[in-house]
Amino acid sequence: MRFLSLVKPGLAAAAALAAGLAPAQPATPQQACGAGTIYLTFDTGSQSQAQYIAQTLRRHHIKATFFMANEKTVNGDYTLDPSWAPFWKSLVADGHAFGSHTFDHVYAKRDLPEGKIEVKPQFGANAGKLAAWSPQQYCDEIKRVDQRFYELTGSHVDHFWRTPGGHTTPHTLAAGGACGYKHVAWADAGFSGDELPSDKWPNQMLLERALKNLRDGDIVMAHLGIWSRKDPWAPAVLEPLISGLEKKGFCFATLRDNPEYLQGQADKLHRRGLNGKG
């Protein structure tokens, strides 16, 4: 990670000389991130680990990217209910990035004729029902997250989106792109495995696999809580994963700093400037 010094370089050098020590040289970005950059991303879920994850990132001064859908939580409410506004506001204040995971956690099943998409929402009024959506309907579903997030926090999401399950089709990608959102998947090595059965995929195995295989530029995907996993991933894996990657020389950043998504962010800011919107 990069840390900003709160002491002016001249004063620090003078203090070091007065103590008879050679002044330490500030690390350059290349030195601080010799192994490269990892992009941590979290999808909503049961939210059982949400506070723990936020506190762990805060303790390590790490910024991540959160993909949000309006999912049922262990509290009996939903992730984009007003009851979660303080949590999301705290993440905004911490400087994290945010994307859409489709409002009702809508699974894209297959492409249909005339550009339509067969979908199956997991939540909402049409939960569990198959529907045939137009590209505009699919785009509107992506944008519903931004609308609600702005109501809760006063901030917009970034123009990133991720399909539930990571399953895309040519029509979903075209629909998302047409409304200004770029789809974000994850690296093979970045699949945390937090939704796998813990008896077959214990946390120690998942930790060792990630530390061994993650490389510069990889996007890691985990959840803010998984209903089905008996031994939760985050309390056992997140802290040692971060510490292990830091020891290897990795830094962490949001997708706002990922070269693949920088142009999309520039386009978003340009459009908002033309429209006079923040």
Side-chain angles (χ1 to χ4, degrees):
M1 296 184 299
R2 303 184 181 97
F3 294 90
L4 299 178
S5 174
L6 299 179
V7 182
K8 292 183 178 180
L11 295 177
L17 289 173
L21 301 173
Q25 297 300 314
T28 65
Q30 291 78 10
Q31 291 171 330
C33 304
T37 302
I38 299 293
Y39 301 92
L40 296 178
T41 70
F42 296 90
D43 296 353
T44 45
S46 71
Q47 302 297 94
S48 60
Q49 311 303 313
Q51 294 292 350
Y52 173 82
I53 289 170
Q55 292 166 3
T56 302
L57 296 175
R58 195 171 295 131
R59 186 164 56 252
H60 283 267
H61 307 284
I62 286 173
K63 306 296 185 290
T65 305
F66 294 82
F67 289 90
M68 299 170 293
N70 195 37
E71 301 188 60
K72 189 174 182 178
T73 83
V74 291
N75 298 337
D77 56 5
Y78 289 81
T79 53
L80 294 176
D81 279 351
S83 53
W84 282 91
F87 175 75
W88 297 120
K89 285 180 179 178
S90 72
L91 294 188
V92 170
D94 287 345
H96 298 291
F98 304 89
S100 175
H101 197 36
T102 68
F103 192 88
D104 284 333
H105 205 251
V106 178
Y107 287 95
K109 306 300 287 185
R110 63 189 178 110
D111 284 342
L112 299 173
E114 300 178 356
K116 290 190 174 183
I117 308 157
E118 186 177 70
V119 300
K120 188 177 184 180
Q122 186 178 4
F123 301 102
N126 297 307
K129 300 177 182 178
L130 288 174
W133 280 3
S134 69
Q136 186 59 53
Q137 285 175 297
Y138 196 86
C139 174
D140 290 343
E141 176 68 15
I142 294 173
K143 292 163 67 174
R144 286 177 68 196
V145 173
D146 178 63
Q147 294 161 2
R148 177 65 64 84
F149 193 68
Y150 186 78
E151 293 172 2
L152 296 179
T153 69
S155 296
H156 289 282
V157 304
D158 299 271
H159 276 212
F160 314 133
W161 68 290
R162 172 177 287 159
T163 56
H167 177 63
T168 62
T169 70
H171 290 178
T172 58
L173 292 175
C179 58
Y181 284 77
K182 184 154 186 176
H183 188 262
V184 179
W186 54 86
D188 289 343
F191 176 65
S192 68
D194 65 347
E195 57 197 293
L196 298 174
S198 54
D199 57 340
K200 296 180 180 179
W201 296 90
N203 287 320
Q204 186 61 32
M205 179 188 297
L206 296 177
L207 172 63
E208 292 173 358
R209 185 182 67 172
L211 287 174
K212 176 182 178 182
N213 296 326
L214 284 172
R215 299 290 184 268
D216 177 32
D218 280 351
I219 296 173
V220 177
M221 186 278 295
H223 296 81
L224 295 180
I226 290 292
W227 290 95
S228 60
R229 189 171 174 87
K230 293 182 179 179
D231 187 10
W233 176 87
V237 178
L238 185 58
E239 183 90 40
L241 176 63
I242 289 173
S243 297
L245 291 173
E246 288 175 336
K247 288 178 182 178
K248 286 190 169 188
F250 286 102
C251 288
F252 300 88
T254 74
L255 292 175
R256 293 170 184 162
D257 297 318
N258 186 309
E260 186 174 350
Y261 302 102
L262 286 176
Q263 185 57 48
Q265 289 298 294
D267 291 344
K268 177 192 72 173
L269 294 173
H270 178 65
R271 285 193 298 272
R272 286 185 179 169
L274 290 177
N275 296 329
K277 298 178 180 179

